[in-house]
Amino acid sequence: MVARFLGSINYGVVGVVMVPVSIMTLFGDWGIRPAMIRFLARYRSRGRDREARGILFTGLLAKFLIGLLLSLIAILSAPFLATRVFNRSDLTPLIKIVSFTLVLNSLLTASQASFIGFERMEFYSLTMFLRSSMKTLLSPFLVLLGYGALGALLGQTLSLLLTSVAALLMLYFSLWRPFRGDGVSLNFLRNLRTMLSYGYPLFISTLLAGALAQIYNFLMALHCSESMIGNYLAASNFSVLITFLTMPISTVLFPAFSQLDQEREGETLRIVFQNSVKYTALVTLPVIAALVVLSQPLIHILFGRGYESAPLFLMLYALSYVFLGLGSLSITNLLNGQGRTRATMALNMASLSVGLPLSLYLIPRFQIIGLLITMITANIPPLVVGAWWVRRDFGFTVDLNSSLRICAATLASAVLVYFFLPRLGEGDVITFLLGGLLLLLLYVLLIVLTRAVGRNDIASLREILTELGPFSYLFNLILSLAEKLLAIIPGE
């Protein structure tokens, strides 16, 4: 909505303003968030409630102090960034407004880490919903009132403020107040050392990965027009469709891997890992295929025809997520959950070693296309290195048989829909609806024919996807269709 109301140029301004704040966000965690999740889950599973609440208090306080410092730095440096870096003094107030998101985001992510560590997923989901709904209401409303890019950024900041306050209240009444009588280990420095000793490799990993993303953004801001940046941002918004599906899996995996002991529960660890790769592929690859094949009607319906380059950008952007279905999501969660944070750091270094030189060469020459090619290519080394690391340390790896069957079913259904798409109708809405329905039916049929999915997989997916709330009803219909086809079509 904001992109449609602002137009590609003003929407590009929003993207440029967010670049320096996004860079500072990289320094807002220090590995504290993943450390909170891991130690809260581990201490709770062992009945060490006092230590768990000590980790909660330390994590919240540390995240708040770091976020507050970063917000002050961003506010004070706003004039320099606007005038000297971007050569636009009118960006100064915009940068100052979004600077407050640094401390607010620190509080929110610490609260969400607490919810995940205590396995109170309903509160985590509620904070996600509140932030999105507040942003959806406030940003378009302020833009329509005539505030332009200022309204869009102010809407983001206010939505984060309201969500952070709500998250802290939920945390206090649901996790802290009911147990405060049992005591709490408030040794701040000792708890902080414990979390940092675990989390600093992850912080460096995040810094490396985030630095690469911000280098991309910085080069994009220097070498691309605001109109092209607006087209790219419009395309990148569709990543929410993929993260919407991976969030339930990823949210459950990290604490699950943290609780499993490799020596005593090695076979369970293997089954959980391989199934997580399989289920991630089953739900993400068809969405990626839909974004590639239906990119043009999608962009036209949501953003209008003023974003001429966005369909091509969306096709390439969606392809950068293919590696989720090949194990990249599960590999990272397994390594972090089992304490192999140095391995995660190595994966990000592998990505940086490829992405940095490519970005310096391709983005100045090919602008957004160069950026997207760089993003796709830089995702390959960490997947290869990660799979090797998992095999070396744990003795198992991705179930290639299942992955290849799912990939084949996805590719075949996408190719068929692509060739039939011109015959489906004239209007964008008709093309999108018929094309999406045909892709879904072909995909379900092919994963059953190839036996990429079985009855146990359907039962597990149905349980996992209940985390999507009301949307789980839609996925149950699809799973029921697959279940009926399995009963009709004979097996191998």
Side-chain angles (χ1 to χ4, degrees), residues 175-196:
L175 301 183
W176 186 266
R177 188 177 179 183
F179 303 105
R180 62 183 179 181
D182 298 336
V184 57
S185 176
L186 290 180
N187 193 322
F188 178 82
L189 293 178
R190 186 188 66 188
N191 290 332
L192 186 61
R193 280 195 301 270
T194 299
M195 288 192 288
L196 291 178

Side-chain angles (χ1 to χ4, degrees), residues 251-289:
T251 302
V252 170
L253 281 183
F254 190 12
F257 285 138
S258 297
Q259 294 179 38
L260 291 172
D261 185 272
Q262 180 185 355
E263 294 183 1
R264 292 185 289 109
E265 301 165 296
E267 181 61 17
T268 302
L269 195 63
R270 180 190 66 81
I271 293 171
V272 172
F273 172 76
Q274 292 184 340
N275 282 343
S276 69
V277 175
K278 183 177 184 178
Y279 300 153
T280 303
L282 281 169
V283 298
T284 57
L285 290 183
V287 174
I288 293 168

Side-chain angles (χ1 to χ4, degrees), residues 436-449 451 453-455 458-459 461-462 472-489:
L437 181 61
L438 179 60
L439 180 66
L440 175 63
L441 293 176
L442 284 171
Y443 174 71
V444 173
L445 177 62
L446 288 172
I447 60 171
V448 171
L449 284 173
R451 282 304 190 262
V453 64
R455 295 183 183 277
I458 292 174
L461 276 172
R462 185 173 279 125
S472 61
Y473 177 75
L474 173 63
F475 290 97
N476 277 329
L477 291 177
I478 301 170
L479 294 173
S480 297
L481 173 61
E483 211 166 28
K484 291 177 181 178
L485 288 174
L486 279 172
I488 296 171
I489 299 174

Side-chain angles (χ1 to χ4, degrees), residues 18 28 59 64 66 105 107 119 152 157 196-197 206 232 234 261 292 308 331 355 359 368 405 417 421 430 461 468:
M18 291 302 300
F64 169 72
I66 294 170
N105 188 64
L107 289 172
E119 295 184 356
T157 306
L196 291 178
S197 63
T206 304
Y232 168 74
D261 185 272
V292 171
E308 297 177 356
I331 287 171
S359 65
I368 301 298
R405 292 188 187 202
V417 171
L421 206 59
I430 297 298
L461 276 172
L468 297 178

Side-chain angles (χ1 to χ4, degrees), residues 125-437:
S125 300
L126 183 57
T127 57
M128 297 287 288
F129 171 77
L130 282 174
R131 182 177 182 179
S132 297
S133 57
M134 290 296 100
K135 183 178 175 181
T136 303
L137 290 171
L138 292 171
S139 289
F141 177 70
L142 292 171
V143 171
L144 285 174
L145 286 180
Y147 290 100
L150 171 63
L153 295 167
L154 189 59
Q156 289 188 35
T157 306
L158 290 175
S159 64
L160 193 52
L161 171 63
L162 295 172
T163 309
S164 301
V165 172
L168 289 172
L169 289 174
M170 283 186 275
L171 189 149
Y172 176 74
F173 287 106
S174 64
L175 301 183
W176 186 266
R177 188 177 179 183
F179 303 105
R180 62 183 179 181
D182 298 336
V184 57
S185 176
L186 290 180
N187 193 322
F188 178 82
L189 293 178
R190 186 188 66 188
N191 290 332
L192 186 61
R193 280 195 301 270
T194 299
M195 288 192 288
L196 291 178
S197 63
Y198 167 82
Y200 86 86
L202 287 180
F203 166 66
I204 296 174
S205 302
T206 304
L207 193 61
L208 292 172
L212 186 59
Q214 297 312 320
I215 289 170
Y216 294 163
N217 290 337
F218 191 73
L219 290 172
M220 178 178 67
L222 291 179
H223 298 286
C224 303
S225 68
E226 290 172 344
S227 177
M228 285 295 100
I229 295 173
N231 275 266
Y232 168 74
L233 292 177
S236 65
N237 279 323
F238 287 94
S239 63
V240 71
L241 295 177
I242 300 170
T243 55
F244 175 74
L245 297 172
T246 57
M247 183 186 69
I249 298 174
S250 182
T251 302
V252 170
L253 281 183
F254 190 12
F257 285 138
S258 297
Q259 294 179 38
L260 291 172
D261 185 272
Q262 180 185 355
E263 294 183 1
R264 292 185 289 109
E265 301 165 296
E267 181 61 17
T268 302
L269 195 63
R270 180 190 66 81
I271 293 171
V272 172
F273 172 76
Q274 292 184 340
N275 282 343
S276 69
V277 175
K278 183 177 184 178
Y279 300 153
T280 303
L282 281 169
V283 298
T284 57
L285 290 183
V287 174
I288 293 168
L291 292 176
V292 171
V293 175
L294 303 173
S295 60
Q296 185 166 307
L298 266 173
I299 293 293
H300 289 169
I301 291 169
L302 292 178
F303 300 109
R305 295 181 179 268
Y307 290 80
E308 297 177 356
S309 302
L312 174 60
F313 294 167
L314 176 56
M315 291 177 66
L316 294 173
Y317 187 80
L319 289 175
S320 68
Y321 283 91
V322 166
F323 305 100
L324 289 174
L326 299 177
S328 62
L329 180 72
S330 299
I331 287 171
T332 303
N333 278 287
L334 173 64
L335 293 174
N336 292 343
Q338 290 293 304
R340 307 298 206 281
T341 52
R342 293 179 183 272
T344 306
M345 182 172 64
L347 302 190
N348 284 298
M349 290 180 68
S351 181
L352 181 67
S353 65
V354 173
L356 180 58
L358 273 180
S359 65
L360 293 173
Y361 178 80
L362 292 177
I363 296 176
R365 289 166 176 79
F366 304 103
Q367 288 81 47
I368 301 298
I369 297 296
L371 166 64
L372 293 167
I373 293 173
T374 301
M375 289 171 60
I376 295 171
T377 308
N379 283 331
I380 298 174
L383 176 63
V384 175
V385 175
W388 171 83
W389 211 300
V390 169
R391 176 179 285 278
R392 191 198 70 172
D393 283 11
F394 301 98
F396 55 78
T397 189
V398 176
D399 184 355
L400 288 177
N401 183 42
S402 294
S403 296
L404 289 176
R405 292 188 187 202
I406 298 168
C407 289
T410 305
L411 181 61
S413 57
V415 170
L416 289 171
V417 171
Y418 178 79
F419 283 110
F420 276 104
L421 206 59
R423 309 169 189 269
L424 294 180
E426 294 295 329
D428 291 318
V429 175
I430 297 298
T431 301
F432 169 70
L433 291 176
L434 292 180
L437 181 61

